[in-house]
Amino acid sequence: MSDESANKPLLDPSSDASASMRALLTSAEGDGLSSAQVEALAARLSLGAPVAPATIAPAATKAGFTMAKLAAAVVMCTAAAALIRRSYVASHEQARAPINAPPITVALRPAPAMNSAPTPPSTIVAPAPTPTIASNPSPRSRTLTTVRPSAAPRAEDLRGQAAAPVTGVGSAASTTIEALDPADDVGLLHRAAAALRSGDTSDALGLLARHRSAFAESALGEERDRIEIEALVRGGRAGEARQRAAAFRARYPRSAQQRRIDEIIAERGDASIGS
Amino acid sequence: MHAAANATMTVHELPELRVLYVEYVQFVARVLRRLGVRDADLEDCCQEVFTAIHRRSSSFDGRGTVRSWVFSFARRVAADHRKRAHVRRETLDSESVEPSVEPTVDAAIDQRRARALLDTLLDGLDDDRRAVFVLFELEQLPMTEVAELVRCPLQTAYSRLHSARKHIEDGVERARKRGTFR
């Protein structure tokens, strides 16, 4: 890396960062709170009431922070609740602000609005959706050459160890990993999805049950449910799949997985009714 | 850049909590997350930060930017959280927690897998290097502001950045060789 590029962020287009490094860093783009969480937290902090102009401190300004800007910020606050409600309908993932975008973007109205009721939601622009990761190639284009047979224990091997620590395999010095190891959380779902792709739905369902047992509160719960619904449909258990899909919708009303689940049910679920 | 207008905002009197919340809640959330707070605890830790800000608002002296002042609370809460988490769970070295060997089958899982590796590698940094890396590489703040936020000389901030990069890049390379990351 040259001296010049060494002092630029790795995600800068002109940096020498590898594709792997960029993929690693862009994986953090979705960090932050969802709109629902921002709203819930605002409520917990008792920030719901509009801000009265009289409460604004006469900002002794410096470095370009003018009174007008502070006033504008207050207008932004009075509109925050409406913004949050509006943003609430966005999907969970899309509602998250990208790294370089403001968490909330507000088109400000003239100052007189400060003396009236909270600014109507029409003045507000919802946060931009998180951009897709350009450097993230299609996962299906990857080969399977890195798979070692010992790295993927089958469901029947796992079912007997529900309460036992999961043992990491695939390296000469196997390391015992605690049951809540997030890496195994991901690994189990990978194996389940692989089993589903290969057509072994019972294996997939076994792995998913194991995942549900070991990682009940997994951050990948939505992905797990989606794979499970697909496995049920492919396994001819359409009725059960629809029940799961309904439960999913109730539990994750704004999930990014919902569209895919709807497609699965629409394309395959109806065809296998009664099976 | 988010909060660009107020990135170097310096005021003698602190805006009230609602203003700070709207302006900085996502900044606080991202910083907390990247300094080691897991998703499940993020909302609670954010609340902790803003509660502390509210309680300590009189301590704002206007000598630094509002963002650096807010960051100091987030950094403290994250450090406390990491200490508590350290007690709760066994600390695993980066070799043992890298994702297991398996081809990627789903973009969402792939992204989560990268995020899990990033967590693991960041966990291997000390607090000082981690803060600089997070603010410069992930928040993409100018290094002058990073140095102000972490309260160190500019050259020290660069030194920490390069050391942190080496750690992260080595971890990525190790993961690639093991086939656990592309």
Side-chain angles (χ1 to χ4, degrees):
Chain A
M1 189 178 288
S2 69
D3 287 346
E4 187 183 351
S5 63
N7 290 336
K8 288 182 179 172
L10 293 170
L11 287 176
D12 188 285
S14 65
S15 91
D16 298 338
S18 66
S20 297
M21 196 65 177
R22 290 177 188 273
L24 184 83
L25 297 178
T26 51
S27 73
E29 280 188 341
D31 288 353
L33 296 176
S34 67
S35 298
Q37 286 177 308
V38 171
E39 184 179 31
L41 184 52
R44 280 159 69 181
L45 290 165
S46 303
L47 299 177
V51 178
T55 63
I56 303 170
T61 58
K62 187 177 167 185
F65 187 75
T66 63
M67 185 65 189
K69 284 184 180 174
L70 180 57
V74 174
V75 174
M76 181 166 69
C77 279
T78 61
L83 161 69
I84 290 163
R85 279 195 296 276
R86 187 179 175 125
S87 301
Y88 201 79
V89 301
S91 75
H92 179 77
E93 292 300 324
Q94 287 180 327
R96 293 185 170 188
I99 288 178
N100 293 325
I104 295 170
T105 305
V106 179
L108 295 170
R109 289 201 164 195
M114 292 173 60
N115 295 322
S116 59
T119 311
S122 61
T123 63
I124 299 165
V125 180
T130 303
T132 54
I133 301 170
S135 59
N136 191 9
S138 167
R140 288 180 175 77
S141 67
R142 239 161 274 141
T143 67
L144 307 184
T145 52
T146 58
V147 178
R148 281 168 283 189
S150 62
R154 294 177 62 79
E156 50 267 35
D157 300 323
L158 292 165
R159 285 187 197 110
Q161 342 171 336
V166 179
T167 300
V169 290
S171 63
S174 291
T175 308
T176 299
I177 301 172
E178 287 186 344
L180 290 180
D181 173 12
D184 200 65
D185 180 358
V186 176
L188 260 180
L189 280 191
H190 272 282
R191 291 195 283 276
L196 178 61
R197 271 205 334 282
S198 69
D200 191 344
T201 54
S202 76
D203 194 3
L205 288 169
L207 287 162
L208 293 164
R210 155 76 178 143
H211 187 276
R212 188 181 302 283
S213 167
F215 305 105
E217 300 303 320
S218 169
L220 294 168
E222 294 172 48
E223 283 84 357
R224 174 184 62 210
D225 288 1
R226 191 261 301 158
I227 297 170
E228 192 165 38
I229 289 166
E230 189 163 0
L232 286 169
V233 169
R234 289 196 194 181
R237 295 156 67 178
E240 211 174 322
R242 276 194 296 277
Q243 287 178 359
R244 292 293 182 92
F248 182 92
R249 184 184 293 278
R251 183 170 182 186
Y252 308 109
R254 286 165 294 280
S255 173
Q257 302 286 336
Q258 189 64 57
R259 180 181 294 181
R260 176 65 189 141
I261 289 174
D262 290 344
E263 287 173 358
I264 293 165
I265 296 293
E267 290 171 10
R268 294 173 175 268
D270 290 343
S272 40
I273 289 174
S275 57
Chain B
M1 183 69 65
H2 58 81
N6 296 328
T8 56
M9 177 170 97
T10 303
V11 293
H12 295 305
E13 284 192 50
L14 197 66
E16 69 174 270
L17 189 62
R18 268 169 284 189
V19 176
L20 291 174
Y21 182 79
V22 170
E23 185 68 41
Y24 293 106
V25 64
Q26 291 291 13
F27 169 73
V28 167
R30 289 193 303 270
V31 164
L32 287 172
R33 179 70 186 83
R34 294 160 182 178
L35 292 184
V37 175
R38 296 302 186 251
D39 282 326
D41 300 316
L42 197 52
E43 202 174 320
D44 286 344
C45 286
C46 280
Q47 181 174 6
E48 208 175 316
V49 169
F50 282 97
T51 302
I53 285 173
H54 181 58
R55 204 168 46 236
R56 301 285 307 280
S57 58
S58 61
S59 71
F60 180 74
D61 57 15
R63 282 187 294 185
T65 63
V66 174
R67 177 143 70 190
S68 69
W69 190 74
V70 168
F71 174 76
S72 68
F73 287 93
R75 191 177 186 186
R76 197 168 309 133
V77 167
D80 289 346
H81 175 84
R82 288 180 71 184
K83 283 178 198 158
R84 291 197 299 267
H86 182 76
V87 173
R88 280 204 304 269
R89 61 186 166 90
E90 180 186 353
T91 301
L92 303 171
D93 66 35
S94 59
E95 298 297 323
S96 66
V97 296
E98 282 170 11
S100 57
V101 176
E102 189 72 19
T104 302
V105 294
D106 184 304
I109 293 176
D110 193 34
Q111 195 275 343
R112 305 260 189 173
R113 186 183 198 182
R115 191 65 188 80
L117 177 61
L118 179 60
D119 273 339
T120 298
L121 296 176
L122 288 174
D123 282 347
L125 291 169
D126 60 73
D127 288 354
D128 288 338
R129 288 186 300 161
R130 182 175 191 154
V132 169
F133 187 87
V134 163
L135 292 172
F136 186 76
E137 301 290 5
L138 301 178
E139 280 298 317
Q140 302 202 331
L141 299 180
M143 193 53 110
T144 48
E145 189 178 357
V146 172
E148 189 210 332
L149 262 61
V150 301
R151 297 176 185 179
C152 75
L154 185 62
Q155 208 49 45
T156 303
Y158 272 118
S159 170
R160 289 176 185 171
L161 172 70
H162 294 143
S163 171
R165 275 182 178 171
K166 172 94 172 55
H167 170 85
I168 301 288
E169 284 166 351
D170 286 351
V172 168
E173 189 55 30
R174 209 165 46 242
R176 289 186 63 216
K177 284 180 179 168
R178 288 155 52 100
T180 57
F181 192 64
R182 60 193 164 76

